[in-house]
């Protein structure tokens, strides 16, 4: 069994990726400081897969903690690096927190790869690196725009750091996956998106409103240059996204990379507006949502969706879960954690 380190592995994307890795025979070691997740996620991963991943409560932005842990866990071949602060709005208010956590984390991971002979890195990047694109859909050759938030800027900076480091360490390999908008939950309803405190993403606001936890869903702006005036995003099912990481690991393990660092857009290739997503949720679940239009939110991009042809062709990966099923999975997860029959 090949050993793989998943940082931020109790988080939303990390937990789903851990499940898919274990189901394909990898031995997974999770590191997480539990700043935005809970340790009992490990129990639910174990229920799904029948295998309990190794877990270390480690802050990867703390170099000493990371290196002490890795010194005791030799033989890791690859790292998938999720651990980072991720809320756009919070990053605007607390920029130094984001630079400290997100940039230090990547530097420490790269140094650890060199120190402990770990060959492959999949970096959790973001479509935020494209800013507000002038041409849609976005390809991997689309210009990198000035970031609209410190969060987005950390993704750009980290891609540059990884590129510079791999250039002078050609024995190492990296793939940066530029996610669009991950949504949904595992079909088992055992793991899903469980933000601590106020959610940073749209879907928990939708499901919590449907569950009566929140009185009303606020939609930020209806005066954008889109068909219904609300922002457009490319919403990708969380299990589809998780499987893109395995495709990236396979590519590096099989020596199929064309350059030391590669970049792939990970989305569905379809843009949906906020109001379209609300309607899809209502139709898929039978739940009517109470929502209101409020002012625009600082840092939000008007519209963005992916051209995924490079990922489809080079990684042999494609998003396959319909958005209606994704919304139903998210609602089933919310019902389970809220004890709704």
């Amino acid at each position: 069994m090949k050993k793989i380190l998943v940082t931020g592995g109790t988080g939303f994307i990390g937990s789903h990726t851990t499940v898919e890795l274990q189901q394909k025979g990898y031995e997974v070691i999770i590191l997480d400081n539990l700043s935005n997740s809970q340790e009992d996620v490990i129990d639910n991963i174990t229920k799904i897969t029948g295998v309990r991943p190794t877990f270390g409560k480690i802050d990867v932005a703390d170099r000493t903690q990371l290196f002490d842990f890795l010194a005791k866990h030799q033989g890791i071949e690859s790292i998938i690096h999720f651990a980072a602060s991720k809320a756009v709005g919070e990053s605007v208010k607390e920029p130094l927190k984001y630079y400290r956590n997100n940039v230090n984390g990547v530097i420490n991971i790269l140094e650890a790869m060199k120190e402990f002979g770990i060959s492959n890195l999949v970096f959790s990047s973001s479509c935020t690196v494209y800013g507000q694109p002038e041409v849609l859909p976005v390809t991997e050759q689309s210009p990198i725009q000035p970031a609209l938030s410190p969060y987005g800027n950390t993704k750009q900076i980290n891609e540059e750091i990884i590129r510079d480091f791999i250039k002078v360490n050609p024995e190492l390999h990296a793939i940066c996956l530029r996610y669009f908008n991950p949504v949904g939950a595992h079909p088992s309803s055992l793991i899903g998106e469980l933000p601590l405190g106020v959610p940073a993403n749209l879907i928990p606001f939708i499901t919590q409103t449907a569950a009566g936890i929140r009185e009303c869903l606020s939609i930020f702006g209806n005066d954008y240059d889109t068909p219904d005036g609300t922002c457009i995003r490319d919403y990708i099912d969380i299990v589809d996204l998780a499987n893109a990481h395995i495709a990236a690991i396979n590519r590096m393990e099989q020596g199929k990379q064309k350059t030391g660092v590669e970049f792939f857009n990970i989305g569905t290739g379809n843009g949906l507006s906020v109001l379209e997503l609300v309607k899809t949720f209502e139709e898929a679940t039978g739940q009517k949502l109470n929502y209101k239009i409020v002012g625009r939110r600082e840092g939000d991009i008007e519209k963005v969706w992916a051209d995924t042809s490079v990922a489809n062709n080079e990684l042999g990966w494609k998003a396959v879960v319909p958005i209606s099923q994704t919304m139903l999975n998210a609602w089933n997860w919310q019902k389970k954690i809220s004890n709704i029959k």
Side-chain angles (χ1 to χ4, degrees):
M1 289 174 69
K2 292 180 177 177
K3 278 190 189 178
I4 191 158
L5 181 72
V6 178
T7 74
T10 58
F12 178 41
I13 307 174
S15 60
H16 288 80
T17 302
T18 295
V19 164
E20 298 305 310
L21 285 164
Q22 288 188 329
Q23 290 180 330
K24 290 175 177 64
Y26 286 92
E27 179 184 343
V28 179
I29 299 169
I30 288 175
L31 297 185
D32 205 302
N33 68 358
L34 303 178
S35 63
N36 194 35
S37 59
Q38 296 175 338
E39 192 170 345
D40 63 6
V41 169
I42 303 287
D43 298 331
N44 291 330
I45 290 171
T46 308
K47 286 176 187 174
I48 296 170
T49 65
V51 179
R52 190 170 190 87
T54 301
F55 174 68
K57 187 181 177 186
I58 299 292
D59 185 347
V60 298
D62 183 320
R63 188 181 187 278
T64 302
Q65 278 188 37
L66 177 64
F67 274 55
D68 286 351
F69 183 90
L70 291 177
K72 298 170 189 166
H73 295 82
Q74 300 289 332
I76 294 166
E77 295 184 22
S78 302
I79 297 174
I80 303 179
H81 181 50
F82 296 112
S85 301
K86 65 170 192 171
V88 170
E90 183 188 51
S91 79
V92 173
K93 295 172 184 167
E94 298 184 58
L96 292 186
K97 172 182 175 180
Y98 277 69
Y99 291 117
R100 185 178 294 114
N101 284 353
N102 296 5
V103 178
N104 284 349
V106 159
I107 291 169
N108 292 342
I109 287 293
L110 291 170
E111 288 182 335
M113 289 176 70
K114 185 82 171 170
E115 176 74 18
F116 297 100
I118 302 169
S119 301
N120 305 315
L121 172 68
V122 179
F123 174 62
S124 166
S125 192
S126 168
C127 66
T128 58
V129 302
Y130 300 115
Q132 178 54 67
E134 294 176 7
V135 178
L136 289 166
V138 173
T139 72
E140 287 79 0
Q141 279 67 52
S142 295
I144 302 299
Q145 304 275 10
L148 295 180
S149 68
Y151 164 74
N153 202 28
T154 64
K155 294 301 185 184
Q156 293 185 13
I157 292 166
N158 284 339
E159 284 192 1
E160 292 167 2
I161 291 170
I162 291 166
R163 187 190 286 114
D164 291 344
F165 186 77
I166 299 294
K167 189 175 182 179
V168 294
N169 292 281
E171 76 280 10
L172 305 180
H173 315 279
I175 289 177
C176 299
L177 299 182
R178 292 170 174 164
Y179 313 152
F180 282 68
N181 286 67
V183 290
H186 195 267
S188 67
S189 299
L190 285 166
I191 56 173
E193 190 167 9
L194 187 61
L196 303 183
V198 178
N201 298 328
L202 175 59
I203 300 305
F205 276 109
I206 288 177
T207 59
Q208 289 178 15
T209 302
I213 296 167
R214 297 182 181 276
E215 186 180 337
C216 186
L217 170 69
S218 293
I219 295 176
F220 298 105
N222 67 343
D223 57 350
Y224 287 99
D225 182 19
T226 63
D228 63 22
T230 63
C231 291
I232 292 176
R233 298 286 183 272
D234 186 336
Y235 297 97
I236 177 170
D237 187 86
I238 187 62
V239 176
D240 279 338
L241 179 66
N243 280 310
H245 296 80
I246 295 163
I249 292 289
N250 288 342
R251 183 173 176 83
M252 290 185 283
E253 287 178 346
Q254 295 165 12
K256 291 183 176 178
Q257 280 187 289
K258 294 176 179 174
T259 56
V261 183
E262 292 181 316
F263 304 87
F264 296 102
N265 288 338
I266 304 298
T268 66
N270 298 310
L272 277 180
S273 75
V274 175
L275 284 176
E276 285 176 318
L277 192 70
V278 165
K279 184 180 177 186
T280 301
F281 177 85
E282 290 179 335
E283 290 175 349
T285 65
Q287 301 295 310
K288 289 297 289 181
L289 284 174
N290 182 29
Y291 65 85
K292 64 181 178 182
I293 307 296
V294 298
R296 291 187 181 192
R297 181 174 57 176
E298 187 178 2
D300 272 344
I301 291 163
E302 182 171 84
K303 50 191 170 185
V304 64
W305 64 92
D307 180 329
T308 60
S309 55
V310 175
N312 300 158
N313 295 329
E314 294 291 329
L315 292 178
W317 166 91
K318 196 174 193 318
V320 295
V321 181
I323 189 66
S324 56
Q325 183 61 51
T326 301
M327 292 296 96
L328 187 58
N329 291 342
W331 176 233
N332 288 338
W333 161 248
Q334 183 68 59
K335 287 195 295 183
K336 182 176 185 296
I337 61 177
S338 301
N339 294 313
I340 297 171
K341 299 302 180 189

